[in-house]
Amino acid sequence: MNILQRIDGLVAGLTINNSPGAASNPYLIRGLTSIGTFGANNVSASDYDGDTALNPGTNRSPLFVVDGIPTNNISFINPQDVEDITVLKDATAASIWGARAANGVIVVTTKKASNNKKLTINYNAFTNIQGRPELDYQPYMNSADFIQAAREVFDPVSYPFEQLNAYTFGGSGIPPHLRTLYAEYMGEISSEVANARLDSLSSLSNRSQIRDIWYRQAIQSNHTLTLSAGGVKHSIYSSLAYTDTKNSRPGDSDKQFKLNIRQDYRFNDRISAFLITDFTKSKALTKNNLDIDYGFFPYQLFQNENGEHISIPYMGLLTEDVRADFEARSKVNLNYNPLDERDYADLNSDVFNGRFIGGVDIGIFENLNFLGTYSYIQGARKSTNYINPESYIVRSELVQFTVADTPDDIPQYFLPDTGGRYTEGHTSNRNFTIRNQLSYDNSWNEGKHQLSILLGQEAQEQLTESSSTVVRGYNPLLQTSLPIDYAFLENEGLENPVMPNFGTISTLTDDYFVQSEILTRFTSYYTNAGYTLDSKYTFNGSWRRDKSNLFGLDKSAQNKPSWSVGTKWAVGRENFLSGFKNLNFLDLRATYGITGNAPTPGVSSTYDILRPQTDYVVLSNRIPLTIQTPGNPKLTWERTSTLNLGIDFGIYDRINASVDVYRKMTDDLLGQLPLNIFSGFTSAIGNFGSLENKGVELTLNTKNIETQNFSWTTLFTMAYNKNKITDLELPGEVTTGDQKVDLAYLKGFPAFAVFAYDYKGLDAEGDPLVQLQDGTITKEPNITSADDILFMGTAQPVWSGGLSNTFSYKGFNLSINAVYNLGHVMRRDVTTNFSGLLESVPFTDFANRWKEPGDELVTNIPYYDPTGALSGDTRDIDYYIKGNQNVLDASYVKLRDITLSYGLPKEFLQKINVKDLTLRFSVSNVLLWTANKYDIDPEFQFSSLSRGVRALRTNQGSVALGLHFSL
């Protein structure tokens, strides 16, 4: 359950990226302010959609603050416990969080009980039926079309059977359609028999089996029981929650139990305190389900008509002839049955998280208070993965370390030939935060003057330790394993095994033990002051200094404080506007400030970061070290300066609006800084660039109708963001078109830039053409320069926002929420393989490829070259794949959710001593409008290596039922 999904489209400037590949930056506030240490390739193209790794080197997401404590994880928060979510965007609002607030701050406040309140019992429950993934969303060929295409491009001369049938580690078997075509070509079967077999394959379809066997209805249920009560001195809020998540994969399970208790104490008029105790326990099971969709051979069934599991040996690593030889020599069965494999491995995870937050508020003198907030968070995760000895993974690994020259030899096993493989991992997190703060609040002259001053200190430490152990020959009943000679198998390798995994030998990875530790420390001092005159004129300022072990020790690197200044003028309170009776309020705001951002731990340091080279031969029991990242004592924060001008107004007691204009400048971007080659390194992590964000935001609230029994309110948000990289020192110069078309970050262009070739269709031979800047049209590979490449736009939405309407009639409440993202682009997913044997299922547009002269007039899809002779020498398929015709408008509007609730009449509830009983029904993601003509949902489209990828659509059209009960 994601607590931030509830504010999607409700906060101007907050962009929530729901793409499955957006793990590195799912939330952006006012655009991107950090690029990340992408390395020399800079191919994060659509890194906005998930093309980079999960750790981009810097934190791109907002800083999350839960109950006053900064945290990196909010997944442990139960949505039923949330009281308020506030998004801080300008520098003044975020200033107190200093050098980690450049990406914005999201503040989450959980519920607490009120004083002098009787015991209240609430029960909330919901079930969300999310359904199966939309497998037919990906446009793969069906059996008949695929077999026809395979017949058309089959070329046994360029790819002789002997070559395909030979053993290559990491390869696979020969699928039935190719086996039949080769058998016909070699005269093993007649054309009539071959056609009959192929026609039989054409008539089969496994899509219903994939849908029903490999997937199920995803369902999530939650039950939360809360109790709250308060007296004069003590109040308590507690909740007990259970969440059962069943994803779309059969056999998987995820159950979470949560206990949250908040206690507030008021000892006297001067001293109060609070304590939050929060425990989360979850257990998850992941079965060994095959990662499969309609891109698998559409004719291959997984069960016969009797429901029996079908063996599919070619899904393994070997062809039939090689498999027979290896089985005979090793005496190990190398058959592969995907449905049996599902039961041969289990991944179990057990997670416990404890969160303790305490605070004390002491009134030292009148108007002077001390506020201390202290937290300790402890988390532990244990994961176990047992792979049964019957699994293909264990069996095939055993054969890799088996020596037997002939079937008559007795096999010599260098790995245990009994027992399975067992992996156990442990991760522990320990975080503590200490914040001590003095606050002074005073007003005088009957409120004419108001002054508030904060002075504080904060220290935080985050420690993450992890370890992993792998044993083989494991017996789960006896909990024993068998020894292995890792030194020999890793360093020397086993010569001439049955199934070599590295040339003519087999080597074993040293996975028996891995350990890591990440320690992050911050220490900070801050102050904040605000003054208001006549409740009209407000001035405020802040200053904060942060130090961290993530940066260089050089004083110039550490001594860069963050600060802000701001002012607010309540114009609506001025006498010259007193005649405007319909004006409720009118405020003008202006703020300017500097915030910062830090690299992720381990990316860089004052000193050289070393790593062991365990892949090298160990000599004399010593492991050599290599420099992973050279030290940089001058490495400093990414600094973002933000200028914000805003206006807030309300008129007619019905319309409230806020308009903000901002400009964000980020300097000292962290990334791969080019070095002089005589230093021994080509690059190091350093401060290497700057970028700019400009934008406008609008938030509009209206009360359209308000009567005794009926009301209609509307919330409309709109945000415009223009992003530009103003400086960037790339590790290498960009001179060719092939380089530029893969870039996501380039000076003078927005972040998440999308570049493309100027595609001009096909020539008379079906090869892709590209136009150069001088007007020349050619198919010659590697001829384009950087100036020949077209800038198509950015993968980040330029316009974003939402529209929410809420209708209330007596006990009924109806809310309709829509979100929109406009002005950005995406790469279309197209067939990318245009040579060789057809060993994978292409998209349906493959049938429309160029086949004969004249087709270039009706299609722009290149000729399929079975020989592979043309690829790279006389043509470049990337001209088509990465051409401008395959870059689409990614704008869309989606009806995010519709929720209908009904609260039973109070008169009836009073008779049964019930405070509230509300029933809820909602549907999510039910309507979609897109600007592209290919029925592509931009929320499920991302790029990998500058090629479009269409992920399976999930949780679309989901239905939820809920109940709220209060005593």
Side-chain angles (χ1 to χ4, degrees):
M1 296 186 296
N2 189 334
I3 63 174
L4 295 184
Q5 289 297 329
R6 65 169 65 179
I7 61 173
D8 189 8
L10 304 182
V11 179
L14 172 64
T15 302
I16 298 180
N17 185 5
N18 292 301
S19 168
S24 63
N25 46 276
Y27 312 107
L28 289 179
I29 296 178
R30 291 185 167 179
L32 183 73
T33 53
S34 180
I35 289 178
T37 56
F38 47 76
N41 293 328
N42 187 14
V43 282
S44 342
S46 298
D47 180 12
Y48 181 76
D49 296 314
D51 193 49
T52 53
L54 292 182
N55 182 4
T58 58
N59 189 3
R60 299 173 171 182
S61 295
L63 175 68
F64 299 108
V65 178
V66 180
D67 293 321
I69 300 300
T71 181
N72 297 322
N73 181 19
I74 57 173
S75 62
F76 60 87
I77 302 297
N78 182 4
Q80 306 296 341
D81 289 335
V82 174
E83 179 69 28
D84 181 63
I85 300 176
T86 303
V87 179
L88 308 179
K89 297 178 286 187
D90 65 70
T92 297
S95 61
I96 194 174
W97 306 109
R100 287 175 288 173
N103 301 318
V105 181
I106 297 179
V107 180
V108 179
T109 304
T110 59
K111 295 177 180 178
K112 65 178 182 179
S114 301
N115 292 100
N116 302 312
K117 293 288 185 180
K118 294 182 179 180
L119 175 65
T120 299
I121 300 174
N122 289 280
Y123 170 73
N124 279 281
F126 73 82
T127 296
N128 187 3
I129 305 171
Q130 301 168 352
R132 289 180 171 87
E134 297 179 20
L135 294 166
D136 56 357
Y137 174 64
Q138 298 172 321
Y140 288 108
M141 279 186 162
N142 60 29
S143 296
D145 292 339
F146 174 67
I147 294 298
Q148 179 61 34
R151 281 171 157 167
E152 292 172 353
V153 303
F154 179 62
D155 186 356
V157 176
S158 300
Y159 297 91
F161 181 77
E162 294 76 14
Q163 174 182 329
L164 194 66
N165 197 43
Y167 169 68
T168 302
F169 182 75
S172 62
I174 304 175
H177 71 281
L178 284 179
R179 187 79 188 189
T180 300
L181 291 170
Y182 274 111
E184 178 189 14
Y185 171 74
M186 294 184 296
E188 296 177 0
I189 60 176
S190 65
S191 296
E192 291 76 14
V193 173
N195 288 333
R197 290 182 181 178
L198 293 175
D199 289 343
S200 176
L201 295 178
S202 297
S203 65
L204 297 175
S205 176
N206 61 10
R207 295 192 170 180
S208 62
Q209 288 196 355
I210 291 177
R211 182 183 65 250
D212 297 335
I213 295 175
W214 295 105
Y215 293 92
R216 67 179 178 185
Q217 294 277 353
I219 300 176
Q220 184 180 61
S221 299
N222 172 267
H223 303 269
T224 301
L225 179 66
T226 65
L227 295 88
S228 63
V232 176
K233 299 290 186 180
H234 177 242
S235 63
I236 182 171
Y237 170 90
S238 61
S239 68
L240 179 65
Y242 167 70
T243 303
D244 184 6
T245 302
K246 293 183 174 65
N247 64 22
S248 60
R249 307 314 302 270
D252 290 3
S253 65
D254 187 354
K255 302 179 185 297
Q256 183 186 87
F257 302 86
K258 185 172 184 61
L259 174 65
N260 176 42
I261 301 174
R262 171 164 180 149
Q263 301 180 78
D264 288 88
Y265 305 89
R266 186 173 182 84
F267 301 105
N268 53 48
D269 292 340
R270 288 184 174 270
I271 302 176
S272 62
F274 74 91
L275 175 65
I276 298 174
T277 308
D278 184 289
F279 299 103
T280 303
K281 172 77 171 180
S282 64
K283 295 181 69 69
L285 168 66
T286 303
K287 302 293 289 185
N288 191 31
N289 279 295
L290 190 65
D291 188 12
I292 192 170
D293 53 30
Y294 288 172
F296 186 64
F297 298 117
Y299 55 73
Q300 179 61 64
L301 303 180
F302 298 93
Q303 289 181 342
N304 61 22
E305 61 275 7
N306 297 321
E308 298 170 331
H309 298 177
I310 296 177
S311 293
I312 313 176
Y314 70 85
M315 292 183 68
L317 300 172
L318 311 171
T319 64
E320 282 299 289
D321 296 338
V322 174
R323 181 169 74 95
D325 173 47
F326 286 4
E327 286 182 338
R329 290 160 56 192
S330 66
K331 308 301 186 289
V332 175
N333 178 15
L334 292 173
N335 188 29
Y336 184 88
N337 189 305
L339 283 176
D340 289 347
E341 290 291 322
R342 180 160 65 186
D343 297 323
Y344 290 157
D346 289 330
L347 173 63
N348 290 273
S349 65
D350 195 331
V351 180
F352 176 81
N353 190 79
R355 185 172 66 106
F356 307 91
I357 301 176
V360 59
D361 190 340
I362 302 175
I364 302 175
F365 302 110
E366 184 179 1
N367 305 319
L368 179 64
N369 283 55
F370 169 80
L371 177 63
T373 305
Y374 314 100
S375 77
Y376 180 80
I377 300 174
Q378 179 76 51
R381 175 190 178 93
K382 177 184 177 181
S383 62
T384 61
N385 184 18
Y386 175 63
I387 305 177
N388 192 290
E390 298 298 319
S391 74
Y392 187 80
I393 293 175
V394 174
R395 288 181 283 125
S396 61
E397 185 181 55
L398 174 60
V399 179
Q400 295 170 38
F401 294 91
T402 300
V403 175
D405 295 333
T406 69
D408 296 328
D409 293 342
I410 298 176
Q412 184 178 2
Y413 302 115
F414 287 79
L415 290 183
D417 60 344
T418 61
R421 190 166 81 187
Y422 177 76
T423 303
E424 183 171 302
H426 294 269
T427 302
S428 65
N429 299 282
R430 188 199 69 205
N431 304 336
F432 73 79
T433 301
I434 297 173
R435 181 183 298 114
N436 297 299
Q437 181 175 294
L438 289 172
S439 66
Y440 176 81
D441 286 284
N442 192 16
S443 63
W444 62 94
N445 284 3
E446 298 181 348
K448 181 179 181 65
H449 304 279
Q450 294 175 303
L451 177 65
S452 63
I453 300 175
L454 294 178
L455 182 65
Q457 169 268 337
E458 180 182 277
Q460 187 175 39
E461 179 178 283
Q462 302 173 355
L463 175 65
T464 300
E465 297 174 309
S466 62
S467 63
S468 176
T469 302
V470 179
V471 295
R472 291 169 172 83
Y474 182 76
N475 186 319
L477 296 179
L478 300 177
Q479 296 185 337
T480 58
S481 61
L482 298 176
I484 296 173
D485 189 350
Y486 278 98
F488 168 70
L489 295 180
E490 178 191 0
N491 298 324
E492 299 181 25
L494 183 64
E495 294 185 355
N496 299 315
V498 173
M499 186 177 172
N501 62 27
F502 187 75
T504 60
I505 67 173
S506 283
T507 60
L508 187 65
T509 304
D510 62 334
D511 55 4
Y512 54 91
F513 182 73
V514 179
Q515 187 177 36
S516 68
E517 177 183 296
I518 298 174
L519 177 65
T520 304
R521 290 192 178 112
F522 286 90
T523 181
S524 310
Y525 299 91
Y526 61 90
T527 183
N528 188 303
Y531 170 73
T532 301
L533 175 63
D534 280 341
S535 299
K536 300 177 186 178
Y537 316 106
T538 300
F539 307 91
N540 56 62
S542 69
W543 179 91
R544 175 169 172 139
R545 179 182 174 185
D546 296 272
K547 288 188 176 183
S548 172
N549 65 332
L550 300 179
F551 294 99
L553 294 178
D554 190 280
K555 290 185 177 180
S556 64
Q558 291 279 0
N559 293 334
K560 289 191 174 181
S562 56
W563 55 270
S564 70
V565 292
T567 183
K568 177 181 176 181
W569 178 21
V571 185
R573 294 177 179 267
E574 296 289 357
N575 293 331
F576 60 80
L577 289 179
S578 59
F580 293 84
K581 301 302 182 183
N582 294 322
L583 179 66
N584 304 122
F585 63 89
L586 174 61
D587 299 331
L588 300 179
R589 294 175 282 107
T591 61
Y592 178 82
I594 292 177
T595 51
N597 191 34
T600 51
V603 170
S604 186
S605 173
T606 293
Y607 306 104
D608 294 339
I609 297 178
L610 306 179
R611 68 172 176 86
Q613 287 190 282
T614 55
D615 51 338
Y616 277 69
V617 175
V618 178
L619 299 176
S620 304
N621 293 322
R622 295 181 179 179
I623 298 177
L625 301 176
T626 186
I627 297 178
Q628 175 175 298
T629 303
N632 183 356
K634 293 186 178 296
L635 185 73
T636 189
W637 311 91
E638 291 182 340
R639 290 165 58 85
T640 298
S641 61
T642 303
L643 172 65
N644 192 99
L645 303 176
I647 179 172
D648 308 311
F649 65 88
I651 56 177
Y652 298 106
D653 293 324
R654 289 180 176 271
I655 301 175
N656 295 337
S658 295
V659 179
D660 285 86
V661 179
Y662 65 87
R663 179 178 180 267
K664 295 171 63 176
M665 286 292 300
T666 302
D667 298 309
D668 293 328
L669 285 172
L670 293 166
Q672 294 285 349
L673 184 68
L675 297 179
N676 189 310
I677 59 173
F678 293 106
S679 67
F681 303 94
T682 58
S683 65
I685 301 299
N687 303 103
F688 78 143
S690 58
L691 61 83
E692 177 186 57
N693 285 276
K694 295 179 180 179
V696 180
E697 297 168 351
L698 167 67
T699 301
L700 178 65
N701 283 281
T702 63
K703 296 179 181 179
N704 306 315
I705 300 175
E706 189 169 23
T707 65
Q708 181 177 356
N709 293 323
F710 179 76
S711 67
W712 170 26
T713 61
T714 298
L715 169 63
F716 174 73
T717 62
M718 181 192 71
Y720 167 80
N721 175 267
K722 183 179 181 180
N723 179 290
K724 183 179 180 181
I725 297 175
T726 54
D727 188 29
L728 195 63
E729 295 185 52
L730 294 177
E733 186 178 359
V734 179
T735 58
T736 70
D738 297 345
Q739 291 175 311
K740 186 175 180 179
V741 78
D742 287 335
L743 296 182
Y745 310 112
L746 189 62
K747 181 179 178 180
F749 295 93
F752 309 122
V754 177
F755 297 100
Y757 294 108
D758 189 0
Y759 186 60
K760 291 302 176 183
L762 307 173
D763 66 4
E765 296 177 334
D767 295 330
L769 298 171
V770 65
Q771 180 170 295
L772 308 182
Q773 189 181 38
D774 61 7
T776 302
I777 297 178
T778 178
K779 70 175 181 180
E780 182 179 345
N782 306 317
I783 195 174
T784 57
S785 69
D787 293 335
D788 298 323
I789 301 303
L790 303 177
F791 169 65
M792 304 301 298
T794 173
Q796 177 184 345
V798 178
W799 296 89
S800 63
L803 176 65
S804 175
N805 283 281
T806 302
F807 305 89
S808 297
Y809 177 71
K810 294 186 177 181
F812 291 93
N813 187 282
L814 175 66
S815 65
I816 304 173
N817 300 314
V819 298
Y820 63 89
N821 287 282
L822 312 171
H824 57 310
V825 298
M826 61 184 176
R827 294 191 188 271
R828 181 188 170 209
D829 52 314
V830 296
T831 298
T832 58
N833 181 24
F834 286 91
S835 63
L837 291 170
L838 198 62
E839 297 182 271
S840 60
V841 181
F843 292 144
T844 53
D845 63 359
F846 185 74
N848 300 324
R849 70 191 182 281
W850 188 99
K851 298 177 184 177
E852 59 185 16
D855 284 353
E856 66 273 9
L857 301 177
V858 295
T859 185
N860 63 9
I861 303 175
Y863 163 64
Y864 190 93
D865 174 27
T867 67
L870 301 177
S871 299
D873 295 327
T874 61
R875 70 172 186 170
D876 189 345
I877 290 299
D878 275 351
Y879 290 164
Y880 163 72
I881 298 172
K882 302 176 185 179
N884 58 316
Q885 86 291 349
N886 284 326
V887 178
L888 310 177
D889 188 340
S891 301
Y892 71 92
V893 179
K894 181 173 285 191
L895 187 56
R896 182 65 78 200
D897 59 74
I898 302 174
T899 301
L900 175 65
S901 63
Y902 175 67
L904 272 65
K906 298 294 184 182
E907 297 80 6
F908 170 75
L909 296 177
Q910 290 174 354
K911 295 178 181 179
I912 58 175
N913 294 322
V914 174
K915 290 184 179 179
D916 181 67
L917 178 57
T918 302
L919 306 175
R920 298 188 305 273
F921 170 81
S922 67
V923 291
S924 302
N925 302 311
V926 287
L927 290 176
L928 172 67
W929 172 89
T930 65
N932 72 86
K933 63 180 181 180
Y934 297 99
D935 295 326
I936 295 176
D937 186 340
E939 283 198 295
F940 293 89
Q941 195 80 358
F942 62 96
S943 292
S944 177
L945 301 177
S946 300
R947 301 182 177 192
V949 178
R950 188 182 310 200
L952 288 175
R953 282 177 23 120
T954 58
N955 198 21
Q956 302 299 292
S958 62
V959 177
L961 300 173
L963 167 71
H964 173 258
F965 182 82
S966 179
L967 293 176

